[in-house]
Amino acid sequence: AQSVAQPEDQVNVAEGNPLTVKCTYSVSGNPYLFWYVQYPNRGLQFLLKYITGDNLVKGSYGFEAEFNKSQTSFHLKKPSALVSDSALYFCAVRPSSGGYQKVTFGTGTKLQVIP
Amino acid sequence: DTEVTQTPKHLVMGMTNKKSLKCEQHMGHRAMYWYKQKAKKPPELMFVYSYEKLSINESVPSRFSPECPNSSLLNLHLHALQPEDSALYLCASSQGGSYGRYGYTFGSGTRLTVV
């Protein structure tokens, strides 16, 4: 069975500092990996995905993520955090093969950017 | 149009009521999903429609009844709900059917309260 772990319930970072939100996964075969952000009382917004190719993926709002197959990780990063980045972040994974495959979401990490 | 529109945004219903949630997208996406999300938890998959056919039912109680009248619309009919069904109900869509490698576009959700 596939799984996603987001080991930190909350990450605090000062505005202007780099941020990292951690994600590790377990899946049979090669993964498709996704990051979503959710603001209060809103739906999830797609940030970026890893399908194949370059291990460094760039997404919306200046976010990027690095796929590391040996460490089965897909950490979300941003060079300089903004207060407006404060939100709930979800990592998600699905297998890349085998017809329909359910997307599994992590438990979420609350990012708090401190002015 | 790059949005998934959900109506109503808020709904309060009694346990004997019948109500419906509506979801609409005009992006040509051929897979549509219903998710349930409790506060500060990841979304839980309920139903998947691929090319207007129900392809996945995640063992959801029969008091929830999905319907996909056409490729742009998805409904969730509610009847005899319980207070524990109170949650944010999210609709999502994705390109190319549910087998694709694409991220999901989520609506803003319907906040449902069962009294």
Side-chain angles (χ1 to χ4, degrees), chain A residues 3-10 21-24 34-36 38 44 87-93 104-111, chain B residues 37-44:
Chain A
S3 64
V4 178
Q6 292 182 243
E8 301 152 318
D9 289 337
Q10 182 159 335
V21 182
K22 295 180 180 177
C23 171
T24 58
F34 307 87
W35 276 102
Y36 291 87
Q38 186 175 30
L44 281 69
L88 186 59
Y89 290 80
F90 290 101
C91 181
V93 68
T104 297
F105 287 88
T107 51
T109 298
K110 182 178 180 181
L111 174 66
Chain B
Q37 187 181 27
K38 292 281 198 178
K40 301 181 181 179
K41 298 291 186 184
E44 300 171 31

Side-chain angles (χ1 to χ4, degrees), chain A residues 36 38 41 43-44 94 99-100 106, chain B residues 37 42 98-100 104 106-107:
Chain A
Y36 291 87
Q38 186 175 30
N41 298 311
L44 281 69
R94 62 179 291 176
Y100 172 75
Chain B
Q37 187 181 27
S98 57
Y99 300 95
Y104 293 174
F106 281 85

Side-chain angles (χ1 to χ4, degrees), chain A residues 2-115:
Chain A
Q2 65 204 48
S3 64
V4 178
Q6 292 182 243
E8 301 152 318
D9 289 337
Q10 182 159 335
V11 170
N12 297 322
V13 62
E15 186 176 24
N17 282 2
L19 69 87
T20 299
V21 182
K22 295 180 180 177
C23 171
T24 58
Y25 67 90
S26 173
V27 71
S28 297
N30 294 318
Y32 290 164
L33 292 154
F34 307 87
W35 276 102
Y36 291 87
V37 61
Q38 186 175 30
Y39 296 96
N41 298 311
R42 301 298 302 274
L44 281 69
Q45 294 179 35
F46 170 76
L47 279 179
L48 51 80
K49 65 182 180 184
Y50 171 81
I51 301 300
T52 187
D54 195 347
N55 289 344
L56 184 63
V57 178
K58 294 187 183 298
S60 306
Y61 313 120
F63 284 94
E64 58 188 29
E66 186 166 12
F67 171 61
N68 187 317
K69 188 171 184 178
S70 63
Q71 297 185 5
T72 62
S73 67
F74 190 56
H75 302 328
L76 182 70
K77 299 182 179 184
K78 188 174 182 181
S80 179
L82 300 173
V83 173
S84 57
D85 293 330
S86 299
L88 186 59
Y89 290 80
F90 290 101
C91 181
V93 68
R94 62 179 291 176
S96 62
S97 61
Y100 172 75
Q101 297 287 351
K102 180 179 172 180
V103 172
T104 297
F105 287 88
T107 51
T109 298
K110 182 178 180 181
L111 174 66
Q112 190 74 38
V113 181
I114 303 161

Side-chain angles (χ1 to χ4, degrees), chain B residues 75-86:
Chain B
N75 298 320
L76 186 63
H77 303 298
L78 314 173
H79 173 55
L81 295 192
Q82 303 297 310
E84 59 265 28
D85 296 322
S86 299

Side-chain angles (χ1 to χ4, degrees), chain B residues 31-73:
Chain B
M32 296 184 77
Y33 311 82
W34 280 115
Y35 280 86
K36 173 183 176 181
Q37 187 181 27
K38 292 281 198 178
K40 301 181 181 179
K41 298 291 186 184
E44 300 171 31
L45 181 66
M46 299 176 72
F47 302 104
V48 179
Y49 273 84
S50 182
Y51 294 90
E52 296 95 70
K53 294 194 184 305
L54 181 65
S55 59
I56 299 290
N57 177 338
E58 288 285 316
S59 302
V60 178
S62 59
R63 58 185 183 268
F64 296 91
S65 175
E67 178 196 20
C68 188
N70 59 55
S71 61
S72 299
L73 283 175

Side-chain angles (χ1 to χ4, degrees), chain B residues 20-31:
Chain B
S20 296
L21 310 184
K22 181 180 175 181
C23 173
E24 192 168 3
Q25 57 88 14
H26 297 285
M27 295 176 282
H29 290 178
R30 302 311 299 272

